[in-house]
Amino acid sequence: MTAVPESTPLPDLLDFAPDAAIALLQEWMADRGEPAYRATQVFGRLWQRPVDSFEAMTELPKPLREALAQSFRLSSLELATRQRSNDGTEKFLFRLHDGQFIETVAIPDGDRMTFCISSQAGCALKCAFCATGVMGFQRNLHPSEIAGQVRALRMLEPPIIPTNIVFMGMGEPLMNWKAVSPSLSLLNDARALGIGARHITISTVGILPGIIALGERPEQFRLAISIHAPSDALRKTLMPVNTKYPLAEVIEAARQFDRRVTFEYVMLGGVNDQPEHAAQLAQLARDCRAFVNLIPLHPGGSMGFTPTSAPVITAFAKALRARGVETAVRRSRGLDIAAACGQLRTERLGRRAPIASDEDREIHIA
Ligand code: SAH
């Protein structure tokens, strides 16, 4: 391999899917006359037993660690803030190398530990009830910053190990497929993070080319679609993206997806929670055999919407089930730490006041 010129940034090993990273390392090892097993040995220290520097890979000879550090980067996410909810949910704010902030939420539930991860800094979609939408789009994240969120929590003391991943943090994952696709490989591959494909869910507003790309992957990754309104007229007012990808096309894409999809439906008081909405939504769900997840509006940064009351949510769920639609009501988690999409970053930027008492809110890291 030729030397990397001074001006070119070193390749970050965390930006490559497993096969590509291992191939790169194998080539590099071969050039140096090192045995091939060194490549998988290094790769094992990126994700499975992660360390934050080549220097810390103490099972390797020191000259080899130094040479690796001269050829490759091993980026780390800088933890800016860590908040713990009284329900055990924890929220992490990471500062990226260019000063952007992204959020990750760790949600324990029995023997499950779900990480809600971000795929973009900010978001371009401007859904009316979403705090991330308000801040606008900053930039796409790289695999080292997407899968890197899981790596960062695994490097904490004590580590937090996820059983499930949902792409329901900041951003629209299917508008960053270039980085999300290798990130899915890193999350799923047994040599990297080893999380079963059925335990990894991509949530989207319904970006059609992305849904097709996800469907073409052989693994059984799950797809959740943010529906939020059962007619184009209403959905357009809540989700501007509906103009580009109207409901009928989204439902058709869901029908053609070879796995069962989930509809996400945020319950907005007096807006989309009436009996006629349940009837319309049931029809859409039946058209593509979708499972419906009703989501109570997370009140922090709720943009003028009010949450639907619990009895009305229950009645709505009952109306869907009566029409043969499998329905679950999601429990809100992390209410005291503004754990909904975009809220921590928004708080950091001073757009809204904290909503919980200080002692259970923040553990300052930086
Ligand atoms: N862009 C993707 C993934 C990120 S948002 C998508 O829209 O699906 C993840 C989910 O959180 C979406 O269903 C989104 O509509 C929902 N969400 C955003 N703000 C919310 C809030 N204040 N309360 C409840 N859910 C919210």
Side-chain angles (χ1 to χ4, degrees):
M1 214 163 101
T2 47
V4 181
E6 287 282 287
S7 54
T8 314
L10 299 177
D12 188 340
L13 283 181
L14 302 173
D15 277 329
F16 295 87
D19 286 342
I22 290 168
L24 186 65
L25 283 164
Q26 276 170 343
E27 188 191 334
W28 186 90
M29 293 293 174
D31 283 351
R32 298 180 52 86
E34 290 284 345
Y37 74 85
R38 290 282 190 215
T40 42
Q41 201 178 14
V42 171
F43 188 75
R45 298 297 256 156
L46 304 183
W47 302 100
Q48 243 176 23
R49 293 188 303 125
V51 283
D52 63 3
S53 66
F54 293 108
E55 183 55 34
M57 299 180 187
T58 47
E59 68 278 28
L60 302 177
K62 197 165 172 55
L64 184 60
R65 285 182 263 157
E66 287 167 359
L68 280 164
Q70 277 164 20
S71 297
F72 300 109
R73 220 152 34 96
L74 195 56
S75 61
S76 291
L77 300 182
E78 186 193 332
L79 185 54
T81 310
R82 178 174 182 172
Q83 295 181 327
R84 188 195 302 270
S85 161
N86 49 28
D87 71 10
T89 300
E90 285 200 84
K91 182 153 176 164
F92 301 84
L93 186 73
F94 293 106
R95 188 187 296 112
L96 306 180
H97 63 87
D98 59 353
Q100 293 294 334
F101 287 96
I102 56 164
E103 306 170 348
T104 310
V105 184
I107 309 159
D109 190 8
D111 52 11
R112 279 211 273 182
M113 173 59 83
T114 302
F115 284 4
C116 177
I117 65 173
S118 297
S119 56
Q120 299 180 314
C123 185
L125 295 170
K126 302 204 177 308
C127 297
F129 46 83
C130 176
T132 305
V134 176
M135 63 184 80
F137 176 68
Q138 311 298 323
R139 70 167 170 87
N140 281 324
L141 301 185
H142 304 294
S144 55
E145 297 164 327
I146 300 173
Q149 295 163 60
V150 178
R151 191 180 117 90
L153 299 199
R154 285 182 74 128
M155 287 198 297
L156 294 173
E157 198 49 64
I160 313 179
I161 311 287
T163 59
N164 294 67
I165 302 287
V166 294
F167 280 76
M168 296 182 189
M170 293 166 63
E172 168 52 50
L174 296 185
M175 284 177 70
N176 185 15
W177 182 247
K178 187 168 169 275
V180 166
S181 184
S183 299
L184 288 172
S185 304
L186 289 164
L187 292 166
N188 176 235
D189 195 299
R191 296 164 299 177
L193 293 163
I195 301 161
R198 289 163 192 225
H199 298 261
I200 300 173
T201 301
I202 296 278
S203 176
T204 179
V205 293
I207 305 295
L208 299 185
I211 293 178
I212 292 165
L214 180 64
E216 282 170 353
R217 295 237 4 187
E219 306 93 337
Q220 301 283 299
F221 297 119
R222 291 191 185 273
L223 173 66
I225 304 181
S226 294
I227 297 288
H228 303 328
S231 67
D232 282 324
L234 179 59
R235 196 167 186 263
K236 258 193 327 218
T237 68
L238 299 174
M239 303 174 69
V241 73
N242 193 76
T243 309
K244 180 149 190 195
Y245 299 118
L247 260 179
E249 290 177 26
V250 174
I251 301 301
E252 179 56 22
R255 212 174 56 75
Q256 285 184 19
F257 197 74
D258 71 347
R259 282 95 75 183
R260 189 147 183 229
V261 306
T262 298
F263 282 180
E264 289 162 277
Y265 196 89
V266 174
M267 301 295 291
L268 305 168
V271 175
N272 65 354
D273 59 355
Q274 302 300 301
E276 69 268 23
H277 299 128
Q280 289 171 308
L281 181 62
Q283 185 59 52
L284 297 180
R286 280 209 308 264
D287 286 349
C288 59
R289 291 165 288 104
F291 177 94
V292 174
N293 218 330
L294 299 178
I295 308 171
L297 176 68
H298 214 292
S302 57
M303 324 286 159
F305 292 94
T306 46
T308 300
S309 70
V312 172
I313 295 183
T314 305
F316 198 91
K318 221 172 137 185
L320 292 174
R321 291 188 192 118
R323 290 173 170 83
V325 177
E326 232 181 299
T327 304
V329 179
R330 192 183 290 169
R331 263 183 309 141
S332 263
R333 300 292 302 268
L335 284 172
D336 52 339
I337 56 164
C341 194
Q343 291 180 354
L344 184 59
R345 187 192 137 116
T346 305
E347 227 173 55
R348 175 94 179 186
L349 300 180
R351 286 209 182 89
R352 53 184 291 282
I355 52 172
S357 67
D358 273 334
E359 61 277 18
D360 61 13
R361 252 193 80 243
E362 264 191 64
I363 304 163
H364 279 286
I365 306 293

